[in-house]
Amino acid sequence: MSGARCRTLYPFSGERHGQGLRFAAGELITLLQVPDGGWWEGEKEDGLRGWFPASYVQLLEKPGMVPPPPGEESQTFVLPPGWQSYLSPQGRRYYVNTATNETTWERPSSSPGIPASPGPHRSSLPPTVNGYHTSGTPAHPPETAHMSVRKSTGDSQNLGSSSPGKKQSKENTITINCVTFPHPDTMPEQQLLKPTEWSYCDYFWADKKDPQGNGTVAGFELLLQKQLKGKQMQKEMSEFIRERIKIEEEYAKNLAKLSQNSLAAQEEGSLGEAWAQVKKSLADEAEVHLKFSAKLHSEVERPLMNFRENFKKDMKKCDHHIADLRKQLSSRYAAVEKARKALTERQRDLEMKTQQLEIKLSNKTEEDIKKARRKSTQAGDDLMRCVDLYNQAQSKWFEEMVTTTLELERLEVERVEMIRQHLCQYTQLRHETDMFNQSTVEPVDQLLRKVDPAKDRELWVREHKTGNIRPVDMEI
């Protein structure tokens, strides 16, 4: 479908996606890439390019002159009043009666209700899934189509058939939480929302086996466990700092007690002054460590403990919200499958009655065909409603998954950066404490350099001398 045009159904800001295309409802976009992942790349009329959800747009094909059937290229055919022609995403042309909403593969003739050539009957067709019907048949006219679902199948003429294209499509896709994604083996370069980053929003969509291998864990639950584990690690870091504070406080207390000890208090002279300074330095060092422990408490431990106090509660709300959307999506998906099977049965019944009409014409058979056609149309309308509800649930779940995973990614970056900053603050405080401790030792070092035993002896002698009598030699 590259090169086709589409019209936007809803406004899209594109702010949450690095390469998103911003548009308002009603704008025209030319498609550039249409992978199966549910996100298409397009170009607006002003030249802006970007990616957007496929469910926000509907494809456009202009109805007009019908190309002639094979072997009649020289003639031009005009559709009867009330009929319009459209192209399916596979390039097949089909026809829609705008009055009765009937569709057919065969070109209608000028006579109402009679096909131009014998073949399959007209019937209502199921709604689109990324431009394709859930059964593989072409879509209703884009002007009346609803939001498209990220799901692709092959092209076949009726819901009951299984064409090689359909089987090939199933092999090339995988269904995760009721949403079809391209198979990794078939798309080595899968389109990512953040191609240059290992972002949460591009992963964690599928479930994962638990360590015991007994059950499965939702990918989103893994992200929540990562966040809660980070919260627990942060709490344990805070407890570690608290133990460090206790050690500092106990150390400061012992230093202060030791500085008051009276041992060697009677030392005199310059050595006595140096010894007194040693004891005073212990008191100064005790004060430094008390200040260090106080700053650790206020600038490191408390911020780590108080950061995101209600984080666990907020994560539970987020988990419940995503889980509810996932259950709703699964329910809508089951309803679509049920409606699709019902439509298949109605179409088979209609096909069987049409074959009976070819064998034997009767009023009763014609009435049965009209009744079967009404039931088939009703089943198609029911499927359309189910797909529309599914599309809404799928789009909401997809947007919430992307938005929430990006938010969890932001919170993780914020948590790591916060812890890094406070650990840097811890090392800075340690450095300052070491500097202050060094400053308490410097006076002791200076006094120890001034210790002079000769001078101390002189001072002591002068203080305690008793007279000038010296001993003399005596003769024996």
Side-chain angles (χ1 to χ4, degrees):
M1 288 189 294
S2 178
R5 292 167 67 91
C6 60
R7 185 182 300 277
T8 60
L9 298 173
Y10 316 99
F12 180 66
S13 64
E15 296 175 353
R16 299 173 180 171
H17 316 290
Q19 301 177 6
L21 178 64
R22 181 185 182 91
F23 54 74
E27 293 192 50
L28 294 177
I29 297 176
T30 301
L31 297 179
L32 302 177
Q33 295 188 57
V34 285
D36 294 335
W39 285 78
W40 293 351
E41 184 183 19
E43 180 179 0
K44 297 201 307 182
E45 293 180 330
D46 57 6
L48 293 178
R49 295 187 177 189
W51 293 83
F52 55 89
S55 58
Y56 278 50
V57 299
Q58 63 178 184
L59 293 173
L60 295 180
E61 292 287 348
K62 294 183 179 179
M65 301 301 292
V66 184
E72 301 181 4
E73 285 81 359
S74 60
Q75 304 179 25
T76 301
F77 294 87
V78 180
L79 291 174
W83 286 90
Q84 292 181 347
S85 65
Y86 299 91
L87 287 177
S88 73
Q90 299 89 349
R92 275 191 85 185
R93 187 169 296 279
Y94 63 100
Y95 307 89
V96 179
N97 188 314
T98 57
T100 63
N101 202 29
E102 292 181 335
T103 59
T104 179
W105 291 103
E106 300 299 324
R107 179 182 58 81
S109 68
S110 301
S111 300
I114 302 177
S117 60
H121 57 274
R122 292 191 300 270
S123 64
S124 83
L125 298 174
T128 60
V129 179
N130 260 6
Y132 295 76
H133 285 301
T134 52
S135 64
T137 55
H140 276 299
E143 287 78 9
T144 61
H146 295 279
M147 297 170 61
S148 60
V149 186
R150 287 190 211 94
K151 192 174 181 183
S152 62
T153 58
D155 183 18
S156 59
Q157 291 192 1
N158 58 70
L159 293 173
S161 65
S162 58
S163 64
K166 186 174 182 180
K167 293 181 179 179
Q168 180 71 18
S169 176
K170 286 187 176 181
E171 293 175 358
N172 293 342
T173 59
I174 56 175
T175 301
I176 300 174
N177 289 329
C178 303
V179 178
T180 302
F181 292 87
H183 197 283
D185 296 338
T186 62
M187 288 195 65
E189 296 182 0
Q190 183 180 0
Q191 295 293 338
L192 303 178
L193 297 179
K194 287 189 173 183
T196 59
E197 303 178 21
W198 286 91
S199 176
Y200 290 166
C201 64
D202 285 315
Y203 306 94
F204 302 99
W205 295 85
D207 297 343
K208 182 180 180 182
K209 287 284 186 181
D210 60 14
Q212 292 75 23
N214 300 326
T216 57
V217 180
F220 185 77
E221 180 65 23
L222 292 177
L223 287 180
L224 293 183
Q225 292 177 2
K226 163 70 173 174
Q227 297 292 321
L228 295 177
K229 181 179 178 181
K231 178 68 175 179
Q232 178 64 26
M233 295 301 99
Q234 180 179 313
K235 180 180 178 182
E236 292 180 7
M237 289 180 187
S238 177
E239 293 174 353
F240 178 89
I241 298 297
R242 186 182 305 127
E243 292 299 319
R244 182 74 170 87
I245 291 174
K246 292 180 179 179
I247 292 174
E248 289 295 323
E249 291 176 345
E250 186 67 21
Y251 182 58
K253 180 180 178 181
N254 291 334
L255 285 178
K257 181 179 179 181
L258 185 60
S259 67
Q260 301 297 324
N261 195 292
S262 60
L263 293 175
Q266 298 180 0
E267 181 62 49
E268 300 175 347
S270 57
L271 182 59
E273 294 177 5
W275 177 247
Q277 186 61 42
V278 168
K279 296 170 67 176
K280 183 178 182 303
S281 68
L282 292 180
D284 295 339
E285 186 178 355
E287 184 178 355
V288 168
H289 283 276
L290 279 177
K291 291 181 178 180
F292 175 52
S293 63
K295 287 186 177 181
L296 280 181
H297 175 70
S298 62
E299 299 180 19
V300 181
E301 186 231 350
R302 183 180 296 172
L304 286 176
M305 180 61 69
N306 297 338
F307 185 66
R308 297 182 195 157
E309 291 182 345
N310 299 323
F311 182 74
K312 189 172 183 179
K313 185 183 298 183
D314 295 339
M315 287 298 98
K316 284 186 178 180
K317 291 181 181 178
C318 182
D319 183 22
H320 293 162
H321 180 57
I322 295 294
D324 291 342
L325 290 177
R326 180 179 174 180
K327 291 179 181 178
Q328 184 181 13
L329 178 64
S330 178
S331 175
R332 300 300 187 193
Y333 184 81
V336 169
E337 291 299 312
K338 183 178 180 181
R340 184 183 63 81
K341 292 179 181 178
L343 178 59
T344 302
E345 294 176 358
R346 295 301 182 187
Q347 287 191 323
R348 285 176 178 173
D349 182 55
L350 180 57
E351 183 178 357
M352 181 178 63
K353 286 182 170 54
T354 303
Q355 292 174 354
Q356 293 176 357
L357 177 62
E358 295 175 355
I359 298 174
K360 181 180 180 180
L361 296 176
S362 66
N363 293 334
K364 182 179 180 181
T365 305
E366 291 180 357
E367 289 296 328
D368 291 342
I369 290 178
K370 290 181 180 179
K371 184 182 297 185
R373 184 173 296 161
R374 286 195 299 268
K375 291 183 179 180
S376 177
T377 302
Q378 180 62 40
D381 294 339
D382 292 342
L383 179 57
M384 176 71 78
R385 286 191 293 270
C386 289
V387 169
D388 186 49
L389 292 174
Y390 168 83
N391 287 330
Q392 296 176 22
Q394 182 261 0
S395 179
K396 187 173 182 180
W397 177 77
F398 185 84
E399 291 291 336
E400 287 296 327
M401 277 288 292
V402 172
T403 303
T404 309
T405 52
L406 288 176
E407 178 64 13
L408 293 179
E409 185 176 303
R410 185 192 67 81
L411 292 175
E412 178 65 9
V413 171
E414 181 181 344
R415 182 188 74 87
V416 173
E417 178 62 21
M418 184 277 299
I419 293 178
R420 186 194 69 82
Q421 291 179 358
H422 285 85
L423 291 182
C424 287
Q425 180 67 13
Y426 167 78
T427 58
Q428 178 65 24
L429 291 175
R430 271 294 310 272
H431 181 65
E432 293 176 356
T433 301
D434 293 340
M435 293 180 60
F436 287 136
N437 285 336
Q438 183 64 28
S439 65
T440 62
V441 176
E442 288 177 356
V444 177
D445 185 62
Q446 293 175 1
L447 288 178
L448 289 176
R449 293 176 185 275
K450 295 179 180 179
V451 172
D452 186 352
K455 187 176 181 180
D456 287 350
R457 186 174 63 249
E458 178 184 351
L459 293 175
W460 185 83
V461 170
R462 287 181 178 180
E463 181 180 353
H464 297 284
K465 65 182 179 178
T466 56
N468 294 327
I469 300 176
R470 293 181 300 172
V472 298
D473 295 336
M474 299 181 64
E475 295 181 358
I476 299 179

